Amino acid sequence: MPPPPPRRALLAPLLRLRAFSSLAHHPPSPPPPRRHQFVAADPTAAAITGRGGVGNPLDPAQLLRDDPVAITASLWVSSFRAQPATAAPPPSLSPFLSRLELWVLAYQKAYADETGSYLPRSSIPASTLSSLLALRNAVLDARFRFGNRLTPFLHSPRAAAAVQDPATLSKRKLRALLTTPGPAPFQDRVVQELLLLLLEPVYEARFSPKSFAFRPGRSPHAAIRTIRRSFAPYLWYIKGDLSPLLHSPDPALIVGALIRDVRDKKVVDLIRSALLTPPVTARPGDEDAAKKKKKRKYQKKKVLPEGEPKPDPYWLQTFFGFAPEEALTQPDWGHCGVLSPLLANVCLDELDKWMDEKIKELHRPSKSDVVGGEDGVEQGNTSWPEFVPTSGPDKTRKVDYIRFGGHFLIGVRGPRADAAVLRKQLVEFCDQRFRIKLDNESLPIEHITKGIMFLDHVLCRRVVYPTLRYTATGGKIISEKGVGTLLSVTASLKQCIKQFRKLEFLKGDREPDPQPCFRMFHATQAHTNAQMNKLLLTMAEWYRYADNRKKVVNFCSYIIRGSLAKLYAAKYKLRSRAKVYKIASRNLSRPLKDKKGQSPEYHNLLRMGLVDSIDGLQYTRMSMVPDPDYTPLPNGWRPDHERILLEYIKLTDQQTLEEQRSCIREEGLITPQDYISMLVWGYKKNAVLLPSFKESDHKGSTEELGSDTDESGDEEIGNPYHVDSPKVLFPTKTSLCSYSCKSQKEKAEKQKKRLTMH
């Protein structure tokens, strides 16, 4: 289960929906050739120098010449255009650092993450643009330092009104400002967002398709569907955990992996500085003092300011508690911030490349096996990839691999000795490259029949039998030989109970007993039911691809319904769950009220709009839970944004257009664009040669319309629309004109008949 989405996702649709259309209509202008040599520390002086722009140097807004989404889209297109991307030379990112448009886009994303609202480009004040210009100049001149709290170039939009001069602060306040741990300065987050805008398209084109997590479009659901499609024929599995690398990174290791694809010194120096600058952490004595301050008899409720975003609701906090082990660890390295997950994938991409080589090396096809022939193409049923037919003793030996964050899963088809040899090589590689000590206990080899746990789903194998035949006396199966095996991906009910127990929703292992949810004690019945319904809907979506989706979601509904029933029994003094169900019904949709309160009927209050309607809990019966989604993942699957990007590159390729035109010429056809151009050219050429067309000629032609006959329709003299062309995609203008003449002639004849009848 992925970590909570950041608020900077508010700008994600802007980046992906407008990217290619804006690039097609408004191509970005090239970056400025050279910056001025004058270094201005003051924002106003930096604006006067006009660095990186050609507009009015007194107005930083005029330096914003292009659309930043179009600039970013051009970087995505150039990164994905070279196939394979690893063979292409690394792109130059230094010119993009000087583009003020990208700095404004990074500021918008950081602003959305800080305040929870999107700031349009037209609403950014001029003082902020000047500060952004000063921050850009400091980065280009290597004067920027991460963690600078005293003299930042750009202040947070929240603290902009309360900014104080460091010279006026006392020593105690200065010491508290420099030593108290807190969030990173706002200007650091703007720089991190800018680096993410530049590095993400470069590495997304180079990452392995077998890596998931911390990447756009590659969610846990995509990993589960990939396992369903590709891991059916494997018998032995190796699970590994490289999460220690995500907790304590080695800066030299990360920078070494980074410079293989990024050769820009300024970008690499920025990331090295972010990794080496130590963050401000709390001292051991400060934690004890903070605990003593919290122990007070009366704690005043915190009132959120008007601009501060509200915390996550209860149902979302509860759902985050169900995060699987593979998704719990999210890297946060020093001052890298939102750049940390990308750098983690950059570091672990070396393992992906090494495993790709091992997959090719260990592939030994067999002609008698339906799995992976000599050409490596699967011969099984593509519409049912989980099914593997029974084969002979000579099986194909092959390996597959998938990684989600710091956890990976390797499937081996063949004897256990092949898995043991691969494990030994994997231990040596991790020791040499990542300096992580692994052993046989940390890399267990398990058979599919025991059940493999990955992303809170259990992989197991079932034998598929032919049509069952029963004897007359008793139901004994005559044919006990299976026709194949089926990969089953089920949700772990044991893990679900464990998570509920951790969240204090139940107690007991064999017979789970729901516990009252006292955190919702002061909420109304309508609000409590609505929160729990959102949790159930999210749980049903999380277990969407599990074979036992109905069973697990119905169990979650039972636990939550029992917990709320106990809560309402304690709140309204009803003593037992049975009385709660009797009054509020099975799904707790009827209103509950205290015996002491004398109030009008609930329906009258609802009709007057004085109370909220109460929604009953969902999925109280197993038949209400939706069925599992067995839609197979297409072969060679890619996320939507990558697929659209590759289609766009293919359509803009000149070679593809020439191939399409040659194919049309071979078929004797003509494109609609060429046909229209021929029509227009023929009209222009023949319209000059035609005599003047007067009104009298028009009347004469209409009178003689009935007497003129044109059987062929191809002998029109002076027809400006006639085009002599081979077989075309649309009917020729000649046939259309002849058809129109015949229709007018028939109308004239009908009119004559009517006149004679009268």
Side-chain angles (χ1 to χ4, degrees):
M1 191 173 311
R7 295 188 181 93
R8 64 177 182 277
L10 293 171
L11 291 178
L14 179 66
L15 284 174
R16 291 195 172 94
L17 291 180
R18 292 182 49 211
F20 308 113
S21 61
S22 60
L23 178 65
H25 297 288
H26 304 285
S29 59
R34 192 174 182 182
R35 300 184 296 108
H36 291 242
Q37 298 297 328
F38 180 72
V39 177
D42 183 62
T44 307
I48 293 176
T49 57
R51 304 179 56 172
V54 204
N56 184 7
L58 298 177
D59 188 7
Q62 292 191 10
L63 302 179
L64 307 175
R65 295 168 292 163
D66 298 324
D67 185 10
V69 179
I71 300 174
T72 311
S74 66
L75 187 57
W76 279 89
V77 171
S78 61
S79 300
F80 275 83
R81 191 181 295 277
Q83 295 296 333
T86 53
S92 178
L93 300 179
S94 293
F96 292 94
L97 278 177
S98 60
R99 300 303 298 264
L100 188 60
E101 297 91 342
L102 295 181
W103 285 91
V104 171
L105 182 59
Y107 174 81
Q108 288 176 302
K109 296 180 69 176
Y111 183 94
D113 195 14
E114 177 80 6
T115 62
S117 60
Y118 170 70
L119 180 67
R121 178 172 167 179
S122 58
S123 301
I124 301 178
S127 59
T128 303
L129 292 176
S130 301
S131 301
L132 276 173
L133 196 61
L135 179 61
R136 185 205 68 171
N137 295 338
V139 170
L140 294 177
D141 298 330
R143 293 182 291 108
F144 173 77
R145 296 292 180 268
F146 283 96
N148 184 9
R149 298 186 181 184
L150 291 180
T151 56
F153 297 94
L154 181 66
H155 295 280
S156 172
R158 287 189 191 173
V163 174
Q164 296 182 0
D165 188 5
T168 61
L169 298 178
S170 62
K171 293 183 179 180
R172 181 179 60 84
K173 291 185 178 181
L174 283 175
R175 188 183 300 108
L177 182 64
L178 296 176
T179 59
T180 304
F186 183 74
Q187 66 175 9
D188 292 8
R189 280 177 278 173
V190 173
V191 176
Q192 295 162 8
E193 293 285 357
L194 178 69
L195 292 176
L196 183 63
L197 285 175
L198 300 182
L199 293 177
E200 189 176 34
V202 174
Y203 279 103
E204 281 297 322
R206 298 168 180 262
F207 281 155
S208 171
K210 299 182 182 299
S211 67
F212 296 81
F214 316 137
R215 297 183 61 187
R218 298 183 179 272
S219 61
H221 279 169
I224 293 171
R225 296 182 69 188
T226 303
I227 291 174
R228 269 190 176 280
R229 168 148 191 105
S230 306
F231 279 72
Y234 301 103
L235 304 177
W236 301 98
Y237 287 85
I238 304 174
K239 283 179 59 178
D241 181 13
L242 297 178
S243 54
L245 182 65
L246 306 183
H247 290 295
S248 55
D250 185 3
L253 179 65
I254 298 169
V255 173
L258 188 70
I259 60 177
R260 290 185 177 89
D261 300 318
V262 177
R263 304 296 174 82
D264 295 85
K265 186 176 183 301
K266 293 180 180 178
V267 176
V268 175
D269 289 345
L270 272 176
I271 297 176
R272 183 187 288 110
S273 174
L275 290 170
L276 296 178
T277 303
V280 179
T281 57
R283 292 174 293 181
D286 296 342
E287 297 181 0
D288 299 337
K291 290 181 180 179
K292 291 180 180 179
K293 289 183 179 180
K294 287 184 179 180
K295 292 182 179 180
R296 292 186 294 181
K297 295 183 179 180
Y298 173 75
Q299 183 127 6
K300 191 176 181 181
K301 292 184 179 180
K302 181 182 178 183
V303 179
L304 296 177
E306 184 178 356
E308 185 175 355
K310 296 180 180 179
D312 295 326
Y314 176 71
W315 70 270
L316 196 57
Q317 295 177 1
T318 307
F319 178 66
F320 291 155
F322 281 87
E325 180 185 0
E326 291 81 4
L328 283 177
T329 304
Q330 183 172 1
D332 188 8
W333 298 343
H335 292 277
C336 291
V338 296
L339 202 61
S340 301
L342 177 64
L343 296 178
N345 274 331
V346 170
C347 191
L348 292 172
D349 186 61
E350 300 184 13
L351 175 64
D352 302 338
K353 298 294 192 295
W354 183 82
M355 280 302 307
D356 289 340
E357 296 177 359
K358 290 298 176 182
I359 289 173
K360 297 177 182 178
E361 177 184 341
L362 299 177
H363 181 62
R364 301 172 187 174
S366 174
K367 295 182 179 180
S368 61
D369 196 354
V370 298
V371 177
E374 293 183 357
D375 53 355
V377 179
E378 302 292 338
Q379 304 176 8
N381 190 355
T382 56
S383 62
W384 196 13
E386 299 93 342
F387 176 73
V388 180
T390 303
S391 58
D394 187 14
K395 293 183 173 59
T396 298
R397 296 188 179 184
K398 58 183 300 189
V399 177
D400 207 345
Y401 160 84
I402 190 172
R403 178 177 63 83
F404 189 88
H407 298 256
F408 60 86
L409 182 67
I410 303 174
V412 180
R413 181 175 176 84
R416 190 182 185 278
D418 292 355
V421 172
L422 181 60
R423 179 176 63 178
K424 182 179 179 181
Q425 297 175 355
L426 184 62
V427 169
E428 295 176 357
F429 174 80
C430 292
D431 186 16
Q432 295 175 0
R433 192 68 196 91
F434 301 132
R435 302 171 187 173
I436 296 179
K437 301 292 183 180
L438 300 176
D439 52 9
N440 295 343
E441 294 183 0
S442 58
L443 294 174
I445 300 177
E446 300 178 351
H447 198 265
I448 185 64
T449 54
K450 294 184 178 180
I452 312 299
M453 175 79 74
F454 194 74
L455 287 173
D456 278 359
H457 288 67
V458 180
L459 314 181
C460 56
R461 188 179 65 169
R462 298 177 182 176
V463 180
V464 179
Y465 293 97
T467 305
L468 303 182
R469 300 179 183 178
Y470 297 94
T471 59
T473 57
K476 182 180 179 182
I477 301 176
I478 296 177
S479 178
E480 297 183 354
K481 185 178 180 180
V483 296
T485 58
L486 181 67
L487 178 67
S488 176
V489 181
T490 59
S492 174
L493 190 61
K494 182 178 179 181
Q495 187 72 11
C496 186
I497 293 174
K498 179 182 177 182
Q499 299 292 352
F500 269 123
R501 192 187 306 112
K502 183 177 68 175
L503 296 170
E504 298 180 355
F505 268 90
L506 57 81
K507 65 178 181 179
D509 293 332
R510 296 183 179 179
E511 296 181 358
D513 184 24
Q515 296 298 304
C517 176
F518 283 116
R519 289 189 61 182
M520 303 293 292
F521 186 83
H522 296 286
T524 61
Q525 184 181 354
H527 179 70
T528 304
N529 286 8
Q531 292 283 304
M532 293 305 170
N533 276 334
K534 291 179 181 179
L535 174 61
L536 287 173
L537 287 172
T538 315
M539 296 293 293
E541 180 64 23
W542 166 238
Y543 293 116
R544 178 178 181 178
Y545 299 99
D547 293 341
N548 58 343
R549 180 188 188 185
K550 284 180 171 287
K551 181 179 179 181
V552 173
V553 175
N554 183 255
F555 172 77
C556 295
S557 178
Y558 161 74
I559 295 297
I560 292 175
R561 186 167 59 96
S563 176
L564 291 187
K566 286 190 174 182
L567 171 67
Y568 294 151
K571 183 176 180 179
Y572 297 105
K573 301 179 181 179
L574 297 176
R575 297 183 181 179
S576 65
R577 284 186 289 175
K579 290 187 177 181
V580 174
Y581 292 141
K582 184 177 180 180
I583 299 174
S585 74
R586 178 185 178 88
N587 59 356
L588 305 176
S589 60
R590 295 177 184 174
L592 293 165
K593 60 181 180 179
D594 198 353
K595 294 181 180 180
K596 296 180 181 180
Q598 300 294 332
S599 60
E601 291 294 332
Y602 172 75
H603 297 286
N604 294 335
L605 295 175
L606 181 61
R607 182 166 49 87
M608 292 185 291
L610 300 178
V611 293
D612 297 330
S613 60
I614 301 176
D615 297 329
L617 289 181
Q618 297 189 4
Y619 310 136
T620 54
R621 299 185 185 276
M622 193 175 292
S623 58
M624 300 178 181
V625 184
D627 296 327
D629 189 355
Y630 292 110
T631 306
L633 197 67
N635 193 14
W637 172 86
R638 282 180 176 270
D640 292 340
H641 69 280
E642 291 186 13
R643 178 175 51 82
I644 295 173
L645 182 60
L646 293 177
E647 290 179 1
Y648 172 80
I649 294 173
K650 186 177 180 181
L651 290 175
T652 55
D653 188 11
Q654 191 67 25
Q655 184 179 359
T656 305
L657 295 178
E658 291 297 333
E659 292 177 358
Q660 292 177 352
R661 289 176 180 175
S662 61
C663 181
I664 290 174
R665 293 193 195 100
E666 291 175 1
E667 297 292 333
L669 303 175
I670 186 172
T671 60
Q673 294 85 353
D674 293 342
Y675 183 68
I676 292 174
S677 63
M678 291 170 66
L679 284 176
V680 174
W681 173 246
Y683 174 78
K684 290 182 177 180
K685 183 176 66 174
N686 296 329
V688 178
L689 302 176
L690 285 176
S692 60
F693 199 67
K694 299 180 180 179
E695 186 177 357
S696 59
D697 299 338
H698 174 70
K699 292 181 180 179
S701 62
T702 54
E703 292 176 356
E704 297 174 359
L705 183 62
S707 59
D708 294 340
T709 56
D710 187 7
E711 296 179 357
S712 63
D714 295 332
E715 300 176 357
E716 295 187 12
I717 301 175
N719 180 16
Y721 298 104
H722 180 68
V723 177
D724 294 331
S725 64
K727 200 176 189 180
V728 293
L729 298 177
F730 298 101
T732 60
K733 197 67 179 179
T734 307
S735 60
L736 292 177
C737 292
S738 62
Y739 177 77
S740 62
C741 292
K742 289 180 181 179
S743 61
Q744 291 179 4
K745 183 168 57 176
E746 291 175 358
K747 289 180 181 180
E749 291 177 357
K750 289 181 180 180
Q751 189 174 6
K752 286 183 180 180
K753 288 181 181 180
R754 290 176 183 173
L755 292 174
T756 54
M757 290 176 63
H758 287 295

